[in-house]
Amino acid sequence: MAGGGGPAPAPKQDELQPHPVKDQLPNVSYCITSPPPWPEAILLGFQHFLVMLGTTVIIPTALVPQMGGGNDEKARVVQTLLFVAGINTLFQTLFGTRLPAVIGGSYTFVVPTISIILAGRYSNIVDPHEKFLRIMRGTQGALIVASTLQIIVGFSGLWRNVARFLSPLAVVPLVALAGFGLYELGFPGVAKCIEIGLPQIILLVIFSQYIPHSLHSEKPVFDRFSVILSVAIVWLYAYFLTVGGAYRHSPPKTQLHCRTDRSGLVGGSPWIRFPYPFQWGAPTFDAGEAFAMMAASFVSLVEFPNKVLSDKCLCSLLELSLQSQDMQVKCDTIASISSQSWYWLAVKCWLQGIGILLDGLFGTANGSSVSVENAGLLALTRIGSRRVVQISAGFMIFFSILGKFGAVFASIPAPIFAALYCLFFAYVGAAGLSFLQFCNLNSFRTKFILGLSVFMGLSVPQYFNEYTSVAGYGPVHTKARWFNDIINVIFSSKPFVAGLVAFFLDNTLHRHHDATKRDRGYHWWKRFRSFKADIRSEEFYALPFNLNKFFPSV
């Protein structure tokens, strides 16, 4: 034979096989019940605190000026939102999902809050401060009413019954778009100050991905603390640009996004202040405003479990046989951790309602949900310890009371947070896609449901948002403002639309065929419909302080 070479050796049989389905994934260092050493846990908790600050500052910054408030009011709202987020996070980790999930502000509630701001009953108020207080009280009343929806649904077990019809195929669009659907908060935010945002992305990728693989160090410092290291460097760089006069002649918008001294939070924050219920006055109640907020609460009810599913996936990407929600020590993984018992979903629903109730009582101008960015941070650090998130809740409460100190960190330029979102939202979206390993991707039924639901989940909200930006109101514009708000809020949510389409198609197209049950992955999911089906559930999700004696897990 020419060249003296023989035929290429036939590939081994195992080389032709696809990657096997795995309930547990490797390389996570600490899981739910295996906390890191205290010094490391404190640093990791502070890192979670830094990440959640982005949404905590961005939402009040967008809403408070429209409500008539200034820097003082904005600083107080940020403090209040941070304080309530700390309480809600502790509640969820202690008595709710028992997962390392950070609870923070939710963009889902921004639309109904803006609708309340634009309500006619506030248009004749001349004094800005009085207008702010009146709108805040109206928002409080709407949140208090809206919270009852999730509390009732949670206690009644209604959501648990709906969730029984979910399969891995239906969950993919829900969880994937909970991350990918937030793309407008990523690079568009980076581009508002590209000389700060782009270096943040590059440094974060280098610290978390390239350096650890180059150094081969036994102590994972760069990948575990890549957020703190990269944010510190870029923030210092932004400070030097600010004091060096780089933005002295820039347009006001550029200065707002790039300078480190334009947030107004440090000057507006008191040194010490304790947020307390009804600090803005007695809440006011309006039926139309309450219906609008209830629509957001319903969307949040659908989105929240799926954000938590992504959190479960990402927090337990571990297969340590250390012996420790996942450990003997083995962590539940992307699968078993994500589809635990339906009882767990019910518990989560009512406790999220309690969180929204606290938002209404304290006056945050916004509702609460699981922080998507913090779920992404779990994947980046590969640490899903519950103690770390509880420590981060301590930082939230501490810095919300010591206002000046918290305001310093809250004044980090928004493009830095947007750069972090590019990685974290991508991780959460990828967690949703990972459920496809349990589905038959060679099935045309699977391709149809997956493709149509994802496409409609992106396309329908895009239409609603474009229409609103041009016309100033949503596509549904009748004389009943409450009805308009309900429809416009619901169909502006990408995960909701995608999940609705996938859920309907998956439960109506040939669902009783034996082959279909396997194609949609339902045969795998059925193992986790009972809390006691997995012997690890009691160990990792049981209530603390032996409260299970009074509130049994099933």
Side-chain angles (χ1 to χ4, degrees):
M1 184 158 304
K12 297 179 181 179
Q13 187 62 29
D14 59 351
E15 293 178 352
L16 299 176
Q17 298 299 320
H19 294 289
V21 172
K22 287 191 176 183
D23 280 358
Q24 296 176 323
L25 303 180
N27 302 325
V28 172
S29 302
Y30 299 96
C31 207
I32 291 185
T33 56
S34 62
W38 276 104
E40 187 174 348
I42 291 172
L43 279 176
L44 290 166
F46 182 74
Q47 193 166 238
H48 272 283
F49 163 73
L50 273 184
V51 169
M52 67 84 59
L53 272 179
T55 299
T56 305
V57 174
I58 290 172
I59 292 178
T61 299
L63 294 178
V64 170
Q66 297 184 62
M67 298 168 69
N71 287 337
D72 290 351
E73 289 81 6
K74 181 172 71 173
R76 290 179 64 187
V77 172
V78 169
Q79 281 183 272
T80 304
L81 185 56
L82 196 59
F83 182 80
V84 175
I87 295 176
N88 284 336
T89 299
L90 284 177
F91 277 2
Q92 278 291 348
T93 55
L94 288 173
F95 308 111
T97 63
R98 300 282 285 151
L99 288 165
V102 173
I103 310 299
S106 173
Y107 292 100
T108 303
F109 292 87
V110 170
V111 174
T113 302
I114 292 177
S115 176
I116 293 174
I117 292 172
L118 300 177
R121 65 179 181 140
Y122 306 114
S123 58
N124 295 326
I125 303 175
V126 178
D127 180 47
H129 181 67
E130 177 64 22
K131 183 177 182 179
F132 169 80
L133 291 178
R134 293 278 297 276
I135 293 175
M136 177 61 80
R137 293 168 190 165
T139 305
Q140 287 182 259
L143 284 169
I144 291 171
V145 174
S147 68
T148 60
L149 174 67
Q150 297 198 16
I151 295 173
I152 292 173
V153 169
F155 275 119
S156 67
L158 177 62
W159 177 248
R160 177 174 52 190
N161 293 328
V162 172
R164 289 167 62 92
F165 296 96
L166 281 172
S167 71
L169 178 58
V171 162
V172 170
L174 273 167
V175 181
L177 290 197
F180 294 143
L182 296 172
Y183 58 83
E184 69 271 14
L185 300 175
F187 197 79
V190 171
K192 291 178 179 177
C193 189
I194 196 71
E195 61 269 31
I196 292 176
L198 191 58
Q200 175 62 48
I201 295 179
I202 295 172
L203 283 178
L204 185 59
V205 171
I206 291 174
F207 283 148
S208 64
Q209 306 300 323
Y210 288 95
I211 291 182
H213 289 85
S214 301
L215 294 181
H216 302 290
S217 174
E218 293 183 2
K219 294 185 177 181
V221 175
F222 286 97
D223 48 349
R224 196 163 290 177
F225 302 104
S226 56
V227 170
I228 290 180
L229 293 172
S230 59
V231 167
I233 292 172
V234 177
W235 191 15
L236 184 63
Y237 163 62
Y239 172 76
F240 286 144
L241 289 178
T242 300
V243 298
Y247 305 112
R248 189 171 296 132
H249 304 293
S250 299
K253 268 195 172 181
T254 302
Q255 295 193 31
L256 179 65
H257 294 299
C258 297
R259 292 180 67 101
T260 58
D261 57 358
R262 282 293 188 270
S263 68
L265 294 175
V266 177
S269 298
W271 283 101
I272 298 177
R273 178 180 174 275
F274 286 88
Y276 55 91
F278 308 121
Q279 58 188 332
W280 312 106
T284 59
F285 298 90
D286 178 84
E289 295 171 359
F291 276 116
M293 201 64 79
M294 286 181 74
S297 180
F298 177 68
V299 171
S300 177
L301 181 66
V302 175
E303 291 182 357
F304 186 81
N306 302 291
K307 291 176 182 177
V308 176
L309 288 185
S310 67
D311 192 89
K312 284 186 105 178
C313 296
L314 296 172
C315 80
S316 63
L317 301 169
L318 168 80
E319 189 178 0
L320 294 175
S321 288
L322 301 171
Q323 307 223 338
S324 150
Q325 167 173 171
D326 302 279
M327 284 181 283
Q328 200 182 13
V329 148
K330 259 196 176 179
C331 283
D332 264 19
T333 161
I334 204 158
S336 56
I337 198 171
S338 346
S339 38
Q340 196 212 343
S341 77
W342 307 124
Y343 168 83
W344 165 80
L345 289 172
V347 170
K348 167 206 54 58
C349 289
W350 76 260
L351 199 57
Q352 186 194 350
I354 296 296
I356 296 173
L357 176 63
L358 290 177
D359 288 318
L361 295 176
F362 280 83
T364 63
N366 189 248
S368 295
S369 187
V370 167
S371 169
V372 178
E373 53 269 35
N374 287 87
L377 180 59
L378 292 176
L380 186 73
T381 60
R382 302 180 185 181
I383 292 178
S385 169
R386 189 159 48 211
R387 179 182 294 175
V388 168
V389 170
Q390 290 169 341
I391 291 173
S392 76
F395 278 116
M396 297 175 208
I397 296 173
F398 177 79
F399 283 114
S400 68
I401 295 173
L402 298 180
K404 291 288 186 186
F405 296 99
V408 171
F409 295 108
S411 63
I412 296 173
I416 293 179
F417 289 112
L420 300 179
Y421 296 162
C422 290
L423 267 70
F424 298 151
F425 294 163
Y427 263 126
V428 172
L433 296 180
S434 67
F435 285 99
L436 288 173
Q437 67 179 315
F438 309 108
C439 307
N440 181 9
L441 289 177
N442 293 317
S443 165
F444 279 103
R445 178 185 183 275
T446 301
K447 295 178 188 295
F448 171 72
I449 294 175
L450 180 64
L452 183 62
S453 59
V454 171
F455 184 84
M456 296 303 289
L458 294 172
S459 187
V460 172
Q462 179 68 19
Y463 164 71
F464 272 75
N465 293 332
E466 283 187 1
Y467 191 103
T468 303
S469 63
V470 173
Y473 48 83
V476 181
H477 188 61
T478 66
K479 293 182 179 179
R481 187 169 63 88
W482 62 270
F483 177 76
N484 303 338
D485 290 338
I486 289 176
I487 303 301
N488 292 329
V489 167
I490 287 177
F491 288 97
S492 294
S493 168
K494 298 178 182 71
F496 178 86
V497 174
L500 179 65
V501 174
F503 183 82
F504 174 78
L505 294 176
D506 190 40
N507 284 281
T508 55
L509 284 177
H510 320 300
R511 64 181 290 250
H512 295 296
H513 293 187
D514 291 338
T516 298
K517 291 181 180 179
R518 296 191 65 84
D519 288 348
R520 63 201 289 246
Y522 195 74
H523 65 292
W524 169 84
W525 198 294
K526 286 181 69 174
R527 294 181 296 160
F528 306 101
R529 288 175 61 177
S530 171
F531 186 86
K532 292 184 177 179
D534 191 328
I535 60 174
R536 298 164 295 182
S537 296
E538 197 71 35
E539 178 183 354
F540 304 124
Y541 301 109
L543 298 177
F545 315 122
N546 291 322
L547 289 176
N548 274 33
K549 294 179 180 179
F550 308 100
F551 304 97
S553 297
V554 283

